Amino acid sequence: MTGPGGTGPAVESLSVCVCTVPTDAPGGDATLTWDSTTMVLVQARSAGVCGLGWTYGAAAGAGVVSDLLAPVVTGRDAWDVPGANEAMSRAVRNAGRPGLVAGAISAVDIALWDLKARLLDLPLVRLLGAARAEVPVYGSGGLTTYGARHTERQLRGWTEDQGFGRVKIKIGESWGRCPDHDLERVRRARRVIGDGCELYVDANGGYGAKQAIRMADRFADQGVLWFEEPVSSDDLAGLRRVRDAVAPDVAAGEYGYDLRYLARMAASGGVDCLQADVTRCGGITVWLKAAAVAESLGLEISGHCAPHAHAHVCAAVPNLRHLEWFHDHVRIEERFFEGALDPSGGAVTPGASGAPGLGLTLRTEHIGDGWSG
């Protein structure tokens, strides 16, 4: 079956599943705590082939996929993924695009790109066009809810067991009300990882601009190179104030749910590196556009979380800095997918196996184990 007006096979169906996975320890950062993580997974089918895509967020995103997006995408030419992305964006006008709706669009878009690459029997990075063979990653975790021993085990696991040269911890505990503890955690992390490893911090918008500047001054002697969301990512003027005053690179963008948001941030002068989340911003289609916008302004881009959804598209852009190897998402993706990438040495090589698409196979034995659809 060919899609209307197209030359490729039609998208025959979209299905969606939801799984909520308990955390392996209580989770928390500067502004939020949680005890579980929910994956909304989409399967797009055509000509006997199934593409996979997902987002992390509210389970209600599954209803957006089935009620609003599936009727728009089903029957379309499977080759025309950007056209499907545009059609989905138009279809949700009255539902409101930011937030879980954008996550749902992202999951479908990723599934459609995976489907297209599988239909062509190509690794996705080859379909997109590789700009690099390896994607640098950094270990991400060090949550504010972790005790000292837990954080140390995690840091040593990345640096000593896996050979990572970059790690990140959370700071800004309790909306910035524990600055001395934040500083001690930064100092402890540096002692654990040694001088040869890059140290990053993420305040998740927990500080105000002046407090963020003061904190950067206090941990200046710890060699912190990356200060993520020192203030709310919606406060572009505050980000600019911090960026102009501190030595570490300032990064933000993970809550960009469309291209215009990310373009405004990149053009604001508030970040040294633009972050974008392929599972939130509109999928691979929009992430590539955001990378191009960043490149036009002399900025690099970094992939936020969901590492196996990002790896191939990260390898397709020349201005990539790195990809976040977020502990919570890694454990979920390794549990539910065969073909998970090996980050040993601090980098992954998407497409090296030759497997088509994202190179992942859903572990069907887990269907029914926490899943609903």
Side-chain angles (χ1 to χ4, degrees):
M1 177 181 175
T2 300
T7 59
V11 178
E12 296 166 4
S13 67
L14 286 183
S15 61
V16 61
C17 297
V18 176
C19 185
T20 297
V21 181
T23 56
D24 56 355
D29 54 35
T31 58
L32 188 69
T33 59
W34 60 91
D35 60 10
S36 64
T37 300
T38 297
M39 172 189 276
V40 177
L41 181 133
V42 171
Q43 298 178 78
R45 293 180 173 84
S46 176
V49 175
C50 178
L52 301 173
W54 65 96
T55 188
Y56 293 100
V64 176
V65 173
S66 57
D67 297 342
L68 298 179
L69 305 183
V72 174
V73 170
T74 303
R76 293 187 64 92
D77 190 329
W79 298 156
D80 296 338
V81 183
N85 189 287
E86 180 64 20
M88 289 190 288
S89 293
R90 293 180 180 182
V92 301
R93 185 196 70 179
N94 290 345
R97 193 178 189 289
L100 67 84
V101 174
I105 291 173
S106 301
V108 174
D109 184 87
I110 295 165
L112 292 175
W113 278 108
D114 187 41
L115 174 65
K116 181 176 180 178
R118 289 173 188 262
L119 286 167
L120 294 169
D121 198 27
L122 290 173
L124 180 57
V125 66
R126 288 195 58 196
L127 174 60
L128 298 174
R132 64 183 67 240
E134 289 190 336
V135 172
V137 301
Y138 66 89
S140 171
L143 305 183
T144 60
T145 46
Y146 290 173
R149 290 183 179 178
H150 189 148
T151 301
E152 180 174 342
R153 284 197 304 271
Q154 195 171 67
L155 292 171
R156 291 194 186 281
W158 291 321
T159 58
E160 296 179 8
D161 298 341
Q162 294 184 292
F164 283 24
R166 312 164 197 85
V167 297
K168 184 177 79 179
I169 65 167
K170 302 287 191 178
I171 59 173
E173 182 181 347
S174 300
W175 289 90
R177 290 192 289 268
C178 306
D180 291 340
H181 191 221
D182 287 342
L183 183 59
E184 173 53 30
R185 294 181 71 252
V186 172
R187 288 172 173 166
R188 187 184 304 119
R190 174 54 74 193
R191 290 195 297 270
V192 171
I193 67 176
D195 295 333
C197 184
E198 295 182 8
L199 178 58
Y200 303 163
V201 297
D202 182 359
N204 285 99
Y207 297 138
K210 286 190 175 180
Q211 185 182 16
I213 293 168
R214 290 194 298 270
M215 288 301 297
D217 287 341
R218 294 183 70 186
F219 58 62
D221 60 344
Q222 300 304 308
V224 173
L225 298 179
W226 170 277
F227 198 171
E228 186 173 331
E229 281 197 314
V231 301
S232 169
S233 55
D234 291 325
D235 182 7
L236 296 181
L239 285 170
R240 178 66 182 265
R241 288 177 66 191
V242 176
R243 184 194 181 202
D244 288 345
V246 305
D249 284 350
V250 171
E254 66 188 73
Y255 297 110
Y257 294 111
D258 57 41
L259 181 63
R260 291 183 178 180
Y261 178 105
L262 292 164
R264 285 194 299 272
M265 178 171 284
S268 72
V271 295
D272 295 285
C273 183
L274 182 68
Q275 284 181 297
D277 188 325
V278 75
T279 72
R280 292 176 177 169
C281 72
I284 289 168
T285 300
V286 177
W287 201 95
L288 286 168
K289 295 177 181 179
V293 168
E295 185 179 14
S296 75
L297 295 168
L299 297 178
E300 292 179 314
I301 190 167
S302 178
H304 172 263
C305 290
H308 290 90
H310 277 95
H312 287 255
V313 70
C314 283
V317 298
N319 58 321
L320 177 77
R321 181 172 296 196
H322 43 41
L323 170 60
E324 182 172 12
W325 203 255
F326 179 47
H327 161 71
D328 190 41
H329 291 178
V330 169
R331 73 187 183 90
I332 292 171
E333 291 167 12
E334 289 181 346
R335 174 180 175 183
F336 287 110
F337 302 126
E338 292 184 17
L341 295 166
D342 180 1
S344 298
V348 294
T349 309
S353 70
L358 294 170
L360 303 173
T361 302
L362 188 63
R363 295 182 188 271
T364 54
E365 66 269 24
H366 288 298
I367 296 295
D369 178 16
W371 291 90
S372 62

